[in-house]
Short mmCIF file of all heavy atoms in Angstrom, two decimals:
data_model
loop_
_atom_site.label_atom_id
_atom_site.label_comp_id
_atom_site.label_asym_id
_atom_site.label_seq_id
_atom_site.Cartn_x
_atom_site.Cartn_y
_atom_site.Cartn_z
N MET A 1 0.82 -1.18 0.00
CA MET A 1 0.00 0.00 0.00
C MET A 1 0.87 1.25 0.00
O MET A 1 0.56 2.21 -0.69
CB MET A 1 -0.93 -0.03 1.21
CG MET A 1 -1.88 1.13 1.21
SD MET A 1 -2.93 1.19 2.62
CE MET A 1 -1.81 1.72 3.86
N ARG A 2 1.96 1.22 0.76
CA ARG A 2 2.85 2.39 0.79
C ARG A 2 3.44 2.69 -0.58
O ARG A 2 3.61 3.84 -0.96
CB ARG A 2 3.98 2.18 1.80
CG ARG A 2 3.52 2.34 3.22
CD ARG A 2 4.69 2.25 4.15
NE ARG A 2 4.30 1.33 5.21
CZ ARG A 2 5.12 0.62 5.92
NH1 ARG A 2 6.40 0.69 5.71
NH2 ARG A 2 4.68 -0.17 6.85
N GLN A 3 3.78 1.63 -1.31
CA GLN A 3 4.36 1.84 -2.64
C GLN A 3 3.34 2.42 -3.60
O GLN A 3 3.67 3.24 -4.45
CB GLN A 3 4.95 0.54 -3.18
CG GLN A 3 6.20 0.13 -2.45
CD GLN A 3 6.90 -1.02 -3.12
OE1 GLN A 3 6.71 -1.27 -4.29
NE2 GLN A 3 7.70 -1.73 -2.36
N ILE A 4 2.10 2.00 -3.48
CA ILE A 4 1.05 2.57 -4.34
C ILE A 4 0.88 4.05 -4.00
O ILE A 4 0.80 4.89 -4.90
CB ILE A 4 -0.28 1.80 -4.19
CG1 ILE A 4 -0.14 0.40 -4.80
CG2 ILE A 4 -1.41 2.57 -4.88
CD1 ILE A 4 -1.36 -0.47 -4.60
N ALA A 5 0.86 4.38 -2.72
CA ALA A 5 0.75 5.78 -2.32
C ALA A 5 1.94 6.58 -2.85
O ALA A 5 1.79 7.71 -3.33
CB ALA A 5 0.66 5.89 -0.80
N ARG A 6 3.13 5.99 -2.78
CA ARG A 6 4.33 6.65 -3.31
C ARG A 6 4.20 6.90 -4.81
O ARG A 6 4.55 7.97 -5.31
CB ARG A 6 5.54 5.76 -3.01
CG ARG A 6 6.85 6.37 -3.37
CD ARG A 6 7.96 5.46 -2.86
NE ARG A 6 9.10 5.62 -3.72
CZ ARG A 6 9.96 4.67 -4.02
NH1 ARG A 6 9.82 3.48 -3.50
NH2 ARG A 6 10.95 4.90 -4.82
N LEU A 7 3.70 5.91 -5.53
CA LEU A 7 3.50 6.05 -6.97
C LEU A 7 2.51 7.17 -7.27
O LEU A 7 2.78 8.04 -8.10
CB LEU A 7 2.98 4.73 -7.56
CG LEU A 7 2.51 4.76 -9.01
CD1 LEU A 7 3.67 5.07 -9.96
CD2 LEU A 7 1.86 3.44 -9.38
N VAL A 8 1.39 7.18 -6.57
CA VAL A 8 0.34 8.17 -6.83
C VAL A 8 0.83 9.59 -6.52
O VAL A 8 0.43 10.55 -7.16
CB VAL A 8 -0.93 7.82 -6.02
CG1 VAL A 8 -1.96 8.91 -6.10
CG2 VAL A 8 -1.52 6.51 -6.53
N ARG A 9 1.72 9.71 -5.55
CA ARG A 9 2.24 11.03 -5.18
C ARG A 9 3.42 11.48 -6.04
O ARG A 9 3.84 12.63 -5.94
CB ARG A 9 2.68 11.02 -3.72
CG ARG A 9 1.52 11.01 -2.77
CD ARG A 9 2.00 11.21 -1.35
NE ARG A 9 0.87 11.36 -0.46
CZ ARG A 9 0.53 10.47 0.46
NH1 ARG A 9 1.23 9.37 0.61
NH2 ARG A 9 -0.51 10.69 1.23
N HIS A 10 3.95 10.61 -6.86
CA HIS A 10 5.11 10.96 -7.69
C HIS A 10 4.72 12.11 -8.62
O HIS A 10 3.66 12.08 -9.23
CB HIS A 10 5.57 9.76 -8.49
CG HIS A 10 6.91 9.93 -9.11
ND1 HIS A 10 7.12 10.74 -10.21
CD2 HIS A 10 8.11 9.43 -8.77
CE1 HIS A 10 8.40 10.70 -10.53
NE2 HIS A 10 9.03 9.91 -9.66
N PRO A 11 5.58 13.13 -8.75
CA PRO A 11 5.23 14.29 -9.59
C PRO A 11 5.01 13.94 -11.07
O PRO A 11 4.26 14.64 -11.76
CB PRO A 11 6.40 15.25 -9.43
CG PRO A 11 7.42 14.55 -8.62
CD PRO A 11 6.85 13.28 -8.08
N ALA A 12 5.59 12.85 -11.54
CA ALA A 12 5.43 12.47 -12.95
C ALA A 12 4.29 11.47 -13.16
O ALA A 12 4.03 11.05 -14.28
CB ALA A 12 6.74 11.88 -13.49
N TYR A 13 3.60 11.10 -12.09
CA TYR A 13 2.52 10.12 -12.17
C TYR A 13 1.37 10.64 -13.03
O TYR A 13 0.89 11.75 -12.84
CB TYR A 13 2.00 9.79 -10.77
CG TYR A 13 0.72 8.99 -10.75
CD1 TYR A 13 0.72 7.64 -11.02
CD2 TYR A 13 -0.49 9.60 -10.45
CE1 TYR A 13 -0.45 6.90 -10.99
CE2 TYR A 13 -1.67 8.88 -10.41
CZ TYR A 13 -1.64 7.53 -10.69
OH TYR A 13 -2.80 6.80 -10.67
N ARG A 14 0.95 9.81 -13.97
CA ARG A 14 -0.23 10.08 -14.80
C ARG A 14 -1.01 8.78 -14.86
O ARG A 14 -0.54 7.80 -15.45
CB ARG A 14 0.14 10.53 -16.22
CG ARG A 14 1.01 11.77 -16.31
CD ARG A 14 0.28 13.02 -15.82
NE ARG A 14 1.15 14.18 -15.85
CZ ARG A 14 1.92 14.61 -14.85
NH1 ARG A 14 1.94 13.95 -13.72
NH2 ARG A 14 2.66 15.68 -14.96
N ARG A 15 -2.18 8.76 -14.27
CA ARG A 15 -2.97 7.52 -14.19
C ARG A 15 -3.21 6.92 -15.58
O ARG A 15 -3.19 5.71 -15.75
CB ARG A 15 -4.30 7.82 -13.50
CG ARG A 15 -5.08 6.57 -13.16
CD ARG A 15 -6.33 6.94 -12.36
NE ARG A 15 -6.92 5.79 -11.71
CZ ARG A 15 -7.69 4.90 -12.34
NH1 ARG A 15 -7.96 5.03 -13.62
NH2 ARG A 15 -8.19 3.87 -11.68
N ASN A 16 -3.42 7.76 -16.56
CA ASN A 16 -3.72 7.27 -17.91
C ASN A 16 -2.51 6.64 -18.61
O ASN A 16 -2.64 6.12 -19.71
CB ASN A 16 -4.32 8.38 -18.78
CG ASN A 16 -3.36 9.52 -19.01
OD1 ASN A 16 -2.35 9.65 -18.34
ND2 ASN A 16 -3.70 10.37 -19.96
N GLN A 17 -1.34 6.67 -17.98
CA GLN A 17 -0.14 6.06 -18.57
C GLN A 17 0.26 4.76 -17.89
O GLN A 17 1.28 4.17 -18.24
CB GLN A 17 1.02 7.06 -18.53
CG GLN A 17 0.76 8.27 -19.40
CD GLN A 17 1.87 9.30 -19.32
OE1 GLN A 17 2.80 9.17 -18.54
NE2 GLN A 17 1.76 10.33 -20.13
N ILE A 18 -0.52 4.29 -16.94
CA ILE A 18 -0.24 3.04 -16.24
C ILE A 18 -0.43 1.88 -17.21
O ILE A 18 -1.44 1.82 -17.93
CB ILE A 18 -1.15 2.88 -15.01
CG1 ILE A 18 -0.89 3.99 -14.00
CG2 ILE A 18 -0.98 1.50 -14.37
CD1 ILE A 18 0.50 4.01 -13.42
N VAL A 19 0.53 0.97 -17.24
CA VAL A 19 0.52 -0.14 -18.20
C VAL A 19 -0.29 -1.33 -17.69
O VAL A 19 -1.05 -1.94 -18.44
CB VAL A 19 1.97 -0.57 -18.53
CG1 VAL A 19 1.99 -1.78 -19.43
CG2 VAL A 19 2.72 0.59 -19.16
N SER A 20 -0.16 -1.68 -16.43
CA SER A 20 -0.81 -2.87 -15.88
C SER A 20 -2.30 -2.66 -15.66
O SER A 20 -2.71 -1.80 -14.86
CB SER A 20 -0.15 -3.23 -14.54
OG SER A 20 -0.93 -4.19 -13.85
N PRO A 21 -3.15 -3.45 -16.33
CA PRO A 21 -4.60 -3.33 -16.12
C PRO A 21 -5.00 -3.62 -14.67
O PRO A 21 -5.89 -2.99 -14.13
CB PRO A 21 -5.20 -4.35 -17.07
CG PRO A 21 -4.14 -4.64 -18.07
CD PRO A 21 -2.83 -4.42 -17.38
N MET A 22 -4.32 -4.59 -14.05
CA MET A 22 -4.64 -4.92 -12.66
C MET A 22 -4.31 -3.76 -11.73
O MET A 22 -5.11 -3.40 -10.87
CB MET A 22 -3.88 -6.17 -12.22
CG MET A 22 -4.19 -6.56 -10.80
SD MET A 22 -3.21 -7.96 -10.34
CE MET A 22 -3.79 -8.19 -8.68
N LEU A 23 -3.16 -3.17 -11.90
CA LEU A 23 -2.77 -2.03 -11.08
C LEU A 23 -3.74 -0.87 -11.31
O LEU A 23 -4.22 -0.25 -10.37
CB LEU A 23 -1.34 -1.59 -11.39
CG LEU A 23 -0.82 -0.36 -10.67
CD1 LEU A 23 -0.93 -0.51 -9.16
CD2 LEU A 23 0.61 -0.07 -11.08
N LEU A 24 -4.06 -0.61 -12.55
CA LEU A 24 -4.98 0.48 -12.88
C LEU A 24 -6.34 0.29 -12.20
O LEU A 24 -6.94 1.23 -11.71
CB LEU A 24 -5.14 0.56 -14.40
CG LEU A 24 -5.86 1.77 -14.95
CD1 LEU A 24 -5.19 3.06 -14.51
CD2 LEU A 24 -5.91 1.70 -16.46
N ARG A 25 -6.79 -0.95 -12.14
CA ARG A 25 -8.08 -1.27 -11.52
C ARG A 25 -8.09 -0.90 -10.03
O ARG A 25 -9.12 -0.53 -9.48
CB ARG A 25 -8.38 -2.75 -11.71
CG ARG A 25 -9.70 -3.20 -11.21
CD ARG A 25 -10.08 -4.64 -11.61
NE ARG A 25 -9.05 -5.63 -11.40
CZ ARG A 25 -8.36 -6.27 -12.37
NH1 ARG A 25 -8.59 -5.99 -13.64
NH2 ARG A 25 -7.47 -7.17 -12.09
N HIS A 26 -6.93 -0.98 -9.38
CA HIS A 26 -6.87 -0.74 -7.94
C HIS A 26 -6.34 0.64 -7.56
O HIS A 26 -6.34 1.00 -6.39
CB HIS A 26 -6.03 -1.82 -7.26
CG HIS A 26 -6.66 -3.17 -7.35
ND1 HIS A 26 -7.80 -3.50 -6.66
CD2 HIS A 26 -6.35 -4.25 -8.10
CE1 HIS A 26 -8.14 -4.75 -6.95
NE2 HIS A 26 -7.28 -5.22 -7.83
N LEU A 27 -5.91 1.41 -8.53
CA LEU A 27 -5.41 2.75 -8.24
C LEU A 27 -6.56 3.71 -7.96
O LEU A 27 -7.61 3.64 -8.59
CB LEU A 27 -4.60 3.31 -9.42
CG LEU A 27 -3.21 2.76 -9.61
CD1 LEU A 27 -2.60 3.32 -10.88
CD2 LEU A 27 -2.33 3.07 -8.42
N PRO A 28 -6.34 4.62 -7.02
CA PRO A 28 -7.37 5.63 -6.79
C PRO A 28 -7.46 6.59 -7.97
O PRO A 28 -6.49 6.77 -8.71
CB PRO A 28 -6.87 6.36 -5.54
CG PRO A 28 -5.40 6.09 -5.50
CD PRO A 28 -5.18 4.77 -6.16
N ALA A 29 -8.60 7.20 -8.14
CA ALA A 29 -8.78 8.14 -9.24
C ALA A 29 -8.12 9.48 -8.94
O ALA A 29 -7.71 10.18 -9.86
CB ALA A 29 -10.27 8.33 -9.52
N ASP A 30 -7.99 9.83 -7.66
CA ASP A 30 -7.35 11.09 -7.31
C ASP A 30 -5.84 10.86 -7.16
O ASP A 30 -5.39 9.75 -6.97
CB ASP A 30 -7.94 11.69 -6.04
CG ASP A 30 -8.09 10.67 -4.92
OD1 ASP A 30 -7.87 9.48 -5.17
OD2 ASP A 30 -8.44 11.07 -3.80
N ALA A 31 -5.07 11.90 -7.30
CA ALA A 31 -3.61 11.74 -7.27
C ALA A 31 -2.94 13.01 -6.79
O ALA A 31 -3.59 14.02 -6.53
CB ALA A 31 -3.11 11.40 -8.68
N GLY A 32 -1.64 12.94 -6.71
CA GLY A 32 -0.85 14.11 -6.36
C GLY A 32 -0.49 14.16 -4.90
O GLY A 32 -0.88 13.31 -4.11
N TYR A 33 0.27 15.14 -4.54
CA TYR A 33 0.73 15.28 -3.16
C TYR A 33 -0.42 15.52 -2.20
O TYR A 33 -0.31 15.26 -1.02
CB TYR A 33 1.75 16.41 -3.05
CG TYR A 33 3.05 16.07 -3.69
CD1 TYR A 33 3.44 16.64 -4.88
CD2 TYR A 33 3.90 15.14 -3.11
CE1 TYR A 33 4.63 16.31 -5.48
CE2 TYR A 33 5.10 14.80 -3.71
CZ TYR A 33 5.47 15.39 -4.89
OH TYR A 33 6.64 15.05 -5.48
N ALA A 34 -1.54 16.03 -2.66
CA ALA A 34 -2.69 16.30 -1.81
C ALA A 34 -3.48 15.02 -1.49
O ALA A 34 -4.31 15.03 -0.60
CB ALA A 34 -3.61 17.32 -2.47
N TRP A 35 -3.21 13.93 -2.21
CA TRP A 35 -3.96 12.70 -1.99
C TRP A 35 -3.67 12.16 -0.60
O TRP A 35 -2.52 12.00 -0.20
CB TRP A 35 -3.58 11.67 -3.06
CG TRP A 35 -4.28 10.37 -2.87
CD1 TRP A 35 -5.60 10.12 -3.07
CD2 TRP A 35 -3.71 9.13 -2.44
NE1 TRP A 35 -5.89 8.81 -2.80
CE2 TRP A 35 -4.74 8.19 -2.40
CE3 TRP A 35 -2.43 8.75 -2.07
CZ2 TRP A 35 -4.54 6.86 -2.03
CZ3 TRP A 35 -2.22 7.44 -1.69
CH2 TRP A 35 -3.27 6.50 -1.67
N GLN A 36 -4.71 11.91 0.15
CA GLN A 36 -4.58 11.40 1.51
C GLN A 36 -5.41 10.14 1.69
O GLN A 36 -5.99 9.92 2.75
CB GLN A 36 -5.01 12.47 2.53
CG GLN A 36 -4.18 13.72 2.49
CD GLN A 36 -2.74 13.48 2.91
OE1 GLN A 36 -2.47 12.77 3.85
NE2 GLN A 36 -1.81 14.06 2.18
N GLY A 37 -5.47 9.33 0.69
CA GLY A 37 -6.40 8.20 0.70
C GLY A 37 -5.85 6.86 1.08
O GLY A 37 -6.35 5.86 0.61
N GLU A 38 -4.82 6.78 1.94
CA GLU A 38 -4.28 5.49 2.32
C GLU A 38 -5.34 4.59 2.96
O GLU A 38 -5.42 3.40 2.66
CB GLU A 38 -3.08 5.62 3.26
CG GLU A 38 -1.80 6.00 2.56
CD GLU A 38 -1.60 7.51 2.45
OE1 GLU A 38 -2.56 8.28 2.69
OE2 GLU A 38 -0.49 7.92 2.09
N ALA A 39 -6.18 5.16 3.80
CA ALA A 39 -7.23 4.37 4.44
C ALA A 39 -8.22 3.83 3.41
O ALA A 39 -8.63 2.67 3.48
CB ALA A 39 -7.95 5.20 5.50
N VAL A 40 -8.57 4.67 2.47
CA VAL A 40 -9.50 4.24 1.41
C VAL A 40 -8.84 3.18 0.53
O VAL A 40 -9.47 2.19 0.16
CB VAL A 40 -9.95 5.45 0.57
CG1 VAL A 40 -10.79 5.01 -0.62
CG2 VAL A 40 -10.71 6.43 1.43
N LEU A 41 -7.56 3.38 0.24
CA LEU A 41 -6.83 2.39 -0.57
C LEU A 41 -6.75 1.06 0.16
O LEU A 41 -7.00 0.01 -0.44
CB LEU A 41 -5.43 2.91 -0.88
CG LEU A 41 -4.53 1.96 -1.66
CD1 LEU A 41 -5.12 1.62 -3.02
CD2 LEU A 41 -3.14 2.61 -1.83
N LEU A 42 -6.44 1.07 1.44
CA LEU A 42 -6.38 -0.17 2.23
C LEU A 42 -7.72 -0.87 2.22
O LEU A 42 -7.81 -2.08 2.03
CB LEU A 42 -5.93 0.13 3.66
CG LEU A 42 -5.86 -1.08 4.59
CD1 LEU A 42 -4.90 -2.13 4.04
CD2 LEU A 42 -5.43 -0.64 5.98
N GLU A 43 -8.79 -0.10 2.37
CA GLU A 43 -10.13 -0.68 2.33
C GLU A 43 -10.42 -1.31 0.97
O GLU A 43 -10.94 -2.42 0.88
CB GLU A 43 -11.16 0.40 2.64
CG GLU A 43 -12.59 -0.09 2.68
CD GLU A 43 -13.57 1.02 3.00
OE1 GLU A 43 -13.20 1.99 3.68
OE2 GLU A 43 -14.72 0.92 2.54
N ARG A 44 -10.05 -0.61 -0.10
CA ARG A 44 -10.28 -1.12 -1.46
C ARG A 44 -9.51 -2.43 -1.69
O ARG A 44 -10.05 -3.39 -2.23
CB ARG A 44 -9.83 -0.08 -2.48
CG ARG A 44 -9.96 -0.54 -3.92
CD ARG A 44 -9.41 0.47 -4.91
NE ARG A 44 -10.23 1.66 -4.90
CZ ARG A 44 -9.75 2.90 -4.84
NH1 ARG A 44 -8.46 3.11 -4.80
NH2 ARG A 44 -10.56 3.93 -4.85
N LEU A 45 -8.25 -2.46 -1.26
CA LEU A 45 -7.44 -3.66 -1.46
C LEU A 45 -7.91 -4.82 -0.59
O LEU A 45 -7.88 -5.98 -1.02
CB LEU A 45 -5.96 -3.35 -1.21
CG LEU A 45 -5.31 -2.41 -2.21
CD1 LEU A 45 -3.90 -2.06 -1.78
CD2 LEU A 45 -5.32 -3.00 -3.61
N THR A 46 -8.37 -4.51 0.62
CA THR A 46 -8.90 -5.55 1.50
C THR A 46 -10.16 -6.16 0.91
O THR A 46 -10.33 -7.38 0.90
CB THR A 46 -9.19 -4.97 2.90
OG1 THR A 46 -7.96 -4.44 3.44
CG2 THR A 46 -9.72 -6.04 3.84
N LYS A 47 -11.05 -5.32 0.40
CA LYS A 47 -12.29 -5.80 -0.20
C LYS A 47 -12.04 -6.62 -1.46
O LYS A 47 -12.83 -7.50 -1.81
CB LYS A 47 -13.21 -4.63 -0.53
CG LYS A 47 -13.90 -4.05 0.67
CD LYS A 47 -14.82 -2.92 0.27
CE LYS A 47 -15.51 -2.32 1.48
NZ LYS A 47 -16.37 -1.18 1.10
N ALA A 48 -10.93 -6.36 -2.15
CA ALA A 48 -10.61 -7.09 -3.37
C ALA A 48 -10.23 -8.54 -3.09
O ALA A 48 -10.30 -9.39 -3.98
CB ALA A 48 -9.47 -6.40 -4.12
N LYS A 49 -9.83 -8.84 -1.85
CA LYS A 49 -9.47 -10.21 -1.44
C LYS A 49 -8.49 -10.85 -2.42
O LYS A 49 -8.71 -11.95 -2.92
CB LYS A 49 -10.71 -11.06 -1.27
CG LYS A 49 -11.61 -10.56 -0.17
CD LYS A 49 -12.83 -11.42 0.02
CE LYS A 49 -13.69 -10.84 1.12
NZ LYS A 49 -14.93 -11.54 1.30
N LEU A 50 -7.41 -10.13 -2.69
CA LEU A 50 -6.40 -10.62 -3.62
C LEU A 50 -5.63 -11.81 -3.03
O LEU A 50 -5.29 -11.80 -1.85
CB LEU A 50 -5.41 -9.50 -3.96
CG LEU A 50 -6.03 -8.24 -4.58
CD1 LEU A 50 -4.97 -7.16 -4.71
CD2 LEU A 50 -6.63 -8.56 -5.93
N ASP A 51 -5.35 -12.79 -3.87
CA ASP A 51 -4.53 -13.91 -3.42
C ASP A 51 -3.05 -13.52 -3.51
O ASP A 51 -2.72 -12.46 -4.04
CB ASP A 51 -4.83 -15.16 -4.24
CG ASP A 51 -4.59 -15.00 -5.73
OD1 ASP A 51 -4.01 -13.97 -6.16
OD2 ASP A 51 -4.97 -15.90 -6.49
N ASN A 52 -2.17 -14.35 -2.98
CA ASN A 52 -0.75 -14.02 -2.94
C ASN A 52 -0.14 -13.75 -4.32
O ASN A 52 0.60 -12.78 -4.47
CB ASN A 52 0.04 -15.09 -2.18
CG ASN A 52 -0.18 -15.01 -0.69
OD1 ASN A 52 -0.55 -13.97 -0.16
ND2 ASN A 52 0.02 -16.12 0.00
N PRO A 53 -0.41 -14.58 -5.33
CA PRO A 53 0.14 -14.26 -6.66
C PRO A 53 -0.34 -12.91 -7.20
O PRO A 53 0.42 -12.18 -7.83
CB PRO A 53 -0.34 -15.41 -7.55
CG PRO A 53 -0.57 -16.55 -6.60
CD PRO A 53 -1.07 -15.90 -5.33
N SER A 54 -1.58 -12.57 -6.92
CA SER A 54 -2.11 -11.27 -7.38
C SER A 54 -1.44 -10.11 -6.65
O SER A 54 -1.12 -9.10 -7.25
CB SER A 54 -3.63 -11.20 -7.16
OG SER A 54 -4.28 -12.17 -7.96
N ILE A 55 -1.23 -10.29 -5.35
CA ILE A 55 -0.53 -9.26 -4.57
C ILE A 55 0.89 -9.09 -5.09
O ILE A 55 1.36 -7.97 -5.26
CB ILE A 55 -0.55 -9.61 -3.07
CG1 ILE A 55 -1.98 -9.50 -2.54
CG2 ILE A 55 0.40 -8.70 -2.28
CD1 ILE A 55 -2.17 -10.06 -1.14
N ASP A 56 1.57 -10.21 -5.36
CA ASP A 56 2.93 -10.14 -5.91
C ASP A 56 2.95 -9.41 -7.24
O ASP A 56 3.83 -8.60 -7.50
CB ASP A 56 3.52 -11.54 -6.07
CG ASP A 56 3.84 -12.21 -4.74
OD1 ASP A 56 3.90 -11.51 -3.71
OD2 ASP A 56 4.01 -13.45 -4.74
N HIS A 57 1.97 -9.71 -8.08
CA HIS A 57 1.88 -9.05 -9.38
C HIS A 57 1.64 -7.54 -9.21
O HIS A 57 2.26 -6.72 -9.89
CB HIS A 57 0.75 -9.67 -10.22
CG HIS A 57 0.56 -9.02 -11.54
ND1 HIS A 57 1.40 -9.25 -12.61
CD2 HIS A 57 -0.36 -8.12 -11.96
CE1 HIS A 57 1.00 -8.50 -13.63
NE2 HIS A 57 -0.07 -7.82 -13.26
N LEU A 58 0.77 -7.20 -8.30
CA LEU A 58 0.45 -5.80 -8.03
C LEU A 58 1.70 -5.05 -7.54
O LEU A 58 2.02 -3.96 -8.03
CB LEU A 58 -0.67 -5.71 -7.00
CG LEU A 58 -1.34 -4.37 -6.80
CD1 LEU A 58 -2.04 -3.91 -8.07
CD2 LEU A 58 -2.34 -4.46 -5.66
N ILE A 59 2.43 -5.64 -6.61
CA ILE A 59 3.65 -5.02 -6.09
C ILE A 59 4.69 -4.86 -7.20
O ILE A 59 5.31 -3.81 -7.33
CB ILE A 59 4.22 -5.85 -4.92
CG1 ILE A 59 3.29 -5.74 -3.71
CG2 ILE A 59 5.63 -5.39 -4.55
CD1 ILE A 59 3.60 -6.73 -2.60
N GLY A 60 4.86 -5.90 -8.00
CA GLY A 60 5.80 -5.81 -9.12
C GLY A 60 5.42 -4.72 -10.11
O GLY A 60 6.28 -3.99 -10.60
N SER A 61 4.14 -4.59 -10.37
CA SER A 61 3.66 -3.55 -11.29
C SER A 61 3.93 -2.16 -10.73
O SER A 61 4.33 -1.26 -11.47
CB SER A 61 2.16 -3.72 -11.55
OG SER A 61 1.90 -4.93 -12.22
N VAL A 62 3.71 -1.98 -9.44
CA VAL A 62 3.98 -0.69 -8.81
C VAL A 62 5.46 -0.36 -8.92
O VAL A 62 5.84 0.75 -9.28
CB VAL A 62 3.53 -0.68 -7.33
CG1 VAL A 62 4.00 0.58 -6.62
CG2 VAL A 62 2.01 -0.79 -7.24
N GLN A 63 6.32 -1.33 -8.62
CA GLN A 63 7.76 -1.11 -8.69
C GLN A 63 8.20 -0.78 -10.11
O GLN A 63 9.04 0.11 -10.32
CB GLN A 63 8.51 -2.34 -8.16
CG GLN A 63 8.32 -2.53 -6.68
CD GLN A 63 8.84 -3.85 -6.16
OE1 GLN A 63 9.04 -4.80 -6.92
NE2 GLN A 63 9.05 -3.93 -4.86
N THR A 64 7.62 -1.44 -11.09
CA THR A 64 7.94 -1.17 -12.49
C THR A 64 7.53 0.25 -12.87
O THR A 64 8.27 0.98 -13.53
CB THR A 64 7.24 -2.19 -13.41
OG1 THR A 64 7.72 -3.49 -13.10
CG2 THR A 64 7.47 -1.88 -14.88
N GLU A 65 6.34 0.67 -12.44
CA GLU A 65 5.86 2.01 -12.75
C GLU A 65 6.73 3.08 -12.09
O GLU A 65 7.04 4.09 -12.70
CB GLU A 65 4.40 2.17 -12.32
CG GLU A 65 3.43 1.37 -13.15
CD GLU A 65 3.34 1.83 -14.60
OE1 GLU A 65 3.66 3.00 -14.92
OE2 GLU A 65 2.91 1.02 -15.43
N ILE A 66 7.11 2.85 -10.84
CA ILE A 66 7.98 3.82 -10.15
C ILE A 66 9.32 3.93 -10.88
O ILE A 66 9.82 5.04 -11.09
CB ILE A 66 8.17 3.45 -8.67
CG1 ILE A 66 6.84 3.69 -7.93
CG2 ILE A 66 9.29 4.26 -8.03
CD1 ILE A 66 6.82 3.16 -6.49
N ALA A 67 9.89 2.80 -11.27
CA ALA A 67 11.15 2.82 -12.01
C ALA A 67 10.99 3.55 -13.34
O ALA A 67 11.87 4.33 -13.76
CB ALA A 67 11.65 1.39 -12.24
N ARG A 68 9.88 3.34 -14.00
CA ARG A 68 9.62 4.02 -15.28
C ARG A 68 9.54 5.52 -15.08
O ARG A 68 10.07 6.30 -15.88
CB ARG A 68 8.32 3.49 -15.89
CG ARG A 68 8.00 4.04 -17.26
CD ARG A 68 6.68 3.53 -17.80
NE ARG A 68 5.54 3.85 -16.96
CZ ARG A 68 4.95 5.05 -16.94
NH1 ARG A 68 5.40 6.04 -17.69
NH2 ARG A 68 3.91 5.27 -16.16
N LEU A 69 8.90 5.96 -14.00
CA LEU A 69 8.77 7.39 -13.73
C LEU A 69 10.11 8.04 -13.40
O LEU A 69 10.32 9.22 -13.68
CB LEU A 69 7.80 7.63 -12.58
CG LEU A 69 6.34 7.28 -12.87
CD1 LEU A 69 5.50 7.48 -11.62
CD2 LEU A 69 5.80 8.09 -14.03
N ARG A 70 11.01 7.27 -12.82
CA ARG A 70 12.34 7.80 -12.50
C ARG A 70 13.17 8.03 -13.75
O ARG A 70 14.11 8.79 -13.72
CB ARG A 70 13.08 6.82 -11.60
CG ARG A 70 12.58 6.81 -10.20
CD ARG A 70 13.44 5.92 -9.38
NE ARG A 70 12.94 5.81 -8.02
CZ ARG A 70 13.18 4.81 -7.23
NH1 ARG A 70 13.91 3.80 -7.64
NH2 ARG A 70 12.69 4.80 -6.01
N GLY A 71 12.83 7.35 -14.80
CA GLY A 71 13.57 7.52 -16.06
C GLY A 71 14.73 6.54 -16.15
O GLY A 71 14.94 5.71 -15.28
N PRO A 72 15.47 6.63 -17.24
CA PRO A 72 16.58 5.70 -17.47
C PRO A 72 17.66 5.84 -16.39
O PRO A 72 17.97 6.94 -15.96
CB PRO A 72 17.13 6.07 -18.83
CG PRO A 72 16.38 7.27 -19.29
CD PRO A 72 15.31 7.59 -18.30
N ALA A 73 18.21 4.72 -16.00
CA ALA A 73 19.28 4.71 -15.00
C ALA A 73 20.50 5.42 -15.56
O ALA A 73 20.89 5.24 -16.71
CB ALA A 73 19.63 3.28 -14.59
N GLY A 74 21.10 6.24 -14.73
CA GLY A 74 22.31 6.95 -15.14
C GLY A 74 22.06 8.10 -16.08
O GLY A 74 22.98 8.70 -16.60
N GLY A 75 20.78 8.42 -16.33
CA GLY A 75 20.43 9.45 -17.28
C GLY A 75 20.31 10.77 -16.74
O GLY A 75 20.56 11.57 -16.10
#
């Protein structure tokens, strides 16, 4: 959940550029530094009842998106 919040608060974050359909389905519609929806996000993810492989996929997708927003390494 913390990584998703970090992604949503990233200055280069654009929801419409997220590649993973699963991640997109669970991302909040609001974004930016003003977003304070960790409790809402936790509730959404809890209600989704994701299994371990789905959670792993979601975490991997978040990490990939964060790396993409950072840009090329050494650049």
Side-chain angles (χ1 to χ4, degrees):
M1 184 183 74
R2 284 185 228 154
Q3 289 189 22
I4 291 175
R6 186 173 151 213
L7 171 64
V8 172
R9 286 189 174 111
H10 193 286
Y13 169 76
R14 302 294 177 269
R15 190 175 195 281
N16 64 346
Q17 295 177 355
I18 297 297
V19 176
S20 167
M22 180 183 181
L23 176 56
L24 190 57
R25 184 170 48 250
H26 294 290
L27 284 175
D30 46 353
Y33 289 107
W35 179 71
Q36 298 295 318
E38 282 89 347
V40 174
L41 177 60
L42 179 58
E43 183 180 331
R44 177 185 293 133
L45 293 174
T46 301
K47 284 181 181 178
K49 296 181 181 176
L50 301 173
D51 59 10
N52 286 336
S54 296
I55 292 169
D56 290 344
H57 178 77
L58 192 63
I59 291 168
S61 295
V62 171
Q63 292 170 341
T64 298
E65 291 294 337
I66 290 171
R68 184 182 59 79
L69 292 176
R70 286 185 184 156

